Amino acid sequence: MSEDHTHVQEFFGVRAADWDRKFPGDGAAFATAVAEFGLRPGDRVLDAGCGTGRALSPLRAAVGPTGLVVGADLTPQMLAAAQRAGRAAEGALLLADVARLPLRDGALDAVFAAGLIAHLPDPVANLRELARVVRPGGRLALFHPIGRAALAARQGRELTPQDLRAEHNLGPLLAGSGWDMTSYADEDARFLVLATRHR
């Protein structure tokens, strides 16, 4: 396991039990983002870096009983918290690294990724792996319940032009990883980028 993985697991592992209590108001933002994602009944969707599974219920509601919902996360404690919250009933929980997903090429219609991009050790390769498991024309949502400026203020740091999530950086990053950015929203109350897999 790389140092990056160890750091991510340590960071989220000790926070998993209290994660949902720390951010109690995020549920509506997740539901709104999933609604804007435009999933259809029967779609197969991955919640990449699912954490405690806060997106699983709205994802399940969007794809319906005939759809497939999978939540993948690197941190066992996060998946355990999702299980305790009853979210395994909404989708399969998978202990997996999004850099090497145990899924076949084109297996999915869409990937929803909340708060993931800042924790990717190799964003180009990791986003390319997400593209691999999505069919041509399938979709990607990069989401955070608050925007970049609000998140930076919460973390006590300043935004810089080098911020990976800035539109001028993220567009080319996605394009070089198999995705075409179709919309970009960075507001105080949410960050939501939608992209389509190259055909």
Side-chain angles (χ1 to χ4, degrees):
M1 187 172 294
S2 75
E3 289 181 10
D4 289 311
H5 289 167
T6 302
H7 173 73
V8 167
Q9 286 179 318
E10 287 174 354
F11 179 88
F12 286 106
V14 298
R15 291 165 173 82
D18 293 322
W19 193 259
D20 288 356
R21 283 194 293 276
K22 190 172 178 184
F23 305 109
D26 286 354
F30 273 82
T32 300
V34 170
E36 288 188 40
F37 195 17
L39 295 169
R40 295 180 296 268
D43 275 353
R44 301 155 299 168
V45 61
L46 170 69
D47 183 1
C50 68
T52 61
R54 293 178 294 171
L56 295 180
S57 291
L59 290 172
R60 170 55 65 198
V63 304
T66 62
L68 172 70
V69 177
V70 177
D73 202 274
L74 187 64
T75 306
Q77 296 94 322
M78 282 290 194
L79 294 176
Q83 186 88 35
R84 285 192 303 274
R87 294 175 180 141
E90 307 293 349
L93 296 176
L94 184 64
L95 181 64
D97 180 0
V98 299
R100 287 184 307 280
L101 290 163
L103 299 168
R104 62 180 167 77
D105 294 359
L108 304 170
D109 298 294
V111 173
F112 185 87
L116 178 70
I117 193 163
H119 301 286
L120 297 177
D122 185 346
V124 172
N126 302 153
L127 288 167
R128 192 172 290 138
E129 171 67 356
L130 295 181
R132 180 189 68 79
V133 300
V134 173
R135 63 170 174 77
R139 285 159 298 148
L140 171 69
L142 300 176
F143 169 71
H144 199 282
I146 60 175
R148 293 187 311 123
L151 182 61
R154 177 191 286 175
Q155 296 172 343
R157 61 179 175 83
E158 295 204 7
L159 279 180
T160 69
Q162 291 75 37
D163 184 348
L164 192 64
R165 289 162 289 194
E167 188 172 8
H168 64 269
N169 294 325
L170 191 53
L173 171 63
L174 287 166
S177 307
W179 302 96
D180 294 311
M181 188 164 65
T182 56
S183 70
Y184 181 95
D186 180 18
E187 304 152 3
D188 281 349
R190 66 157 187 174
F191 176 86
L192 181 63
V193 173
L194 303 180
T196 303
R197 187 187 180 280
H198 295 169
R199 291 188 179 273

